[in-house]
Amino acid sequence: MERIVHHLRQSKQILVATHFNPDGDAIGSLIAMALALDALGKDVTLFNESPIPAVYRFLPAVDRIVRQVETVDRYDTAVVLDCGDVSRIGALAPALDRIPTLLNIDHHPTNTGFGDARYVDDTACSTAEILYRIFKRLPVAISQDIATAIYTGILTDTGSFRFANTNRTAFAICVEMMEKGVDPYTVAKHVYGTYSLGRIKLLNLALDSIELLNEGRLSVMTLTRDMMTETGTQPEDVDGMINYAKRIQDVQVAVLIQEINGSGSPGFHVSLRSDGSVDVAALAAHFGGGGHHRAAGFTAEMPLPAVKDGIRNWLARHQAD
């Protein structure tokens, strides 16, 4: 942590980025870091390659997030948040080599250790938790806006305190954030309160697509681009749907295979969830991805049947009896 704190104090022009298709921890951490750096008088740019999901657009400073950076040459530091590998920020990743200092702050056990300095702790419930620790070492007061971003990151990455990564620290930090002015009802209302009609129609198609494989221990949900077009939905509307496949009785591993735009060849983003009996981070790593023991993912450029067969075959060798 000390090297991270030192670099943040010394830096002047900072690019802060997180992974494409961002979740609440990614967006919350991105905003919290930017606001803390603002308080230190730094020149800060917030970057995310993807559109920001509508449920997170209530967060302070969200309108400052840009999807393109023309040149990185003016930055002396890049901070990459919540990414197991730098490639997760998308097309801008190779350009980060031109920035003198790259800081890696993350909580994924599959983190590749990239960067000039890193603070990676897979015991943390979220990257937002790690930022909270860093802010305590910086001369920065946690404002209500920073507190809202941290609270949102922890709330969403613990699944509203339902996931196995929920710990005493998560609750303690959230209580402190409430004391800074966070209203849990307001955050929950935005994050979980409303769905578009298109999302409901997409969910119906997603539920119809579920297959139970490997003697009922594997559930597979598939979403195609045609389904998205038919329902008028965006990638952000898929968030959380895998949980329906995960909650089926006797299922150990749930898979959501989502068709993405490829360069002339089949492309899929694959999300994985486990009941804890199978390490889906190891499964994702087999396909070049990563994540946590119970939640992971990867991208595949192969036909859909090959994706399913690859997952089934790996699980047949590793699933608990």
Side-chain angles (χ1 to χ4, degrees), residues 15 35 54 58 82 88 98 107 135 137 174 182 216 218 223 267 277 291 295 298 307 315:
L15 174 67
L35 294 176
F58 77 98
D82 201 41
R88 291 277 290 144
R98 303 207 307 270
H107 72 128
F135 297 164
R137 304 298 297 271
C174 286
V182 174
L218 167 65
L223 288 175
S277 63
F298 64 91
V307 177
L315 288 172

Side-chain angles (χ1 to χ4, degrees), residues 4 10 29 35 53 72 79 84 98 102 121 126 138 159 165 170 172-173 175-176 204 229 263 266 268 281 299 312 321:
I4 296 286
Q10 297 300 315
S29 296
L35 294 176
V72 300
V79 182
R98 303 207 307 270
L102 175 59
D121 182 0
S126 60
L138 289 169
N165 61 334
I173 294 173
V175 168
E176 184 177 338
N204 184 53
T229 300
S263 54
F268 300 92
T299 300
R312 291 184 66 181
D321 294 327

Side-chain angles (χ1 to χ4, degrees), residues 142-145 147-148 151 174-187:
I142 295 180
S143 65
Q144 182 175 344
D145 284 350
T148 300
Y151 181 95
C174 286
V175 168
E176 184 177 338
M177 298 304 99
M178 290 169 61
E179 292 170 349
K180 303 289 186 182
V182 174
D183 178 11
Y185 171 74
T186 298
V187 175

Side-chain angles (χ1 to χ4, degrees), residues 122-203:
D122 61 10
T123 69
C125 71
S126 60
T127 297
E129 176 187 331
I130 297 175
L131 293 191
Y132 168 84
R133 301 176 197 167
I134 292 172
F135 297 164
K136 290 294 186 177
R137 304 298 297 271
L138 289 169
V140 172
I142 295 180
S143 65
Q144 182 175 344
D145 284 350
I146 293 175
T148 300
I150 291 174
Y151 181 95
T152 301
I154 293 176
L155 176 73
T156 54
D157 236 35
T158 59
S160 300
F161 311 110
R162 293 178 294 113
F163 296 165
N165 61 334
T166 304
N167 53 31
R168 293 181 63 181
T169 302
F171 286 113
I173 294 173
C174 286
V175 168
E176 184 177 338
M177 298 304 99
M178 290 169 61
E179 292 170 349
K180 303 289 186 182
V182 174
D183 178 11
Y185 171 74
T186 298
V187 175
K189 179 179 67 174
H190 284 286
V191 174
Y192 303 117
T194 57
Y195 295 135
S196 68
L197 178 60
R199 176 185 162 92
I200 300 300
K201 291 180 177 180
L202 182 65
L203 175 60

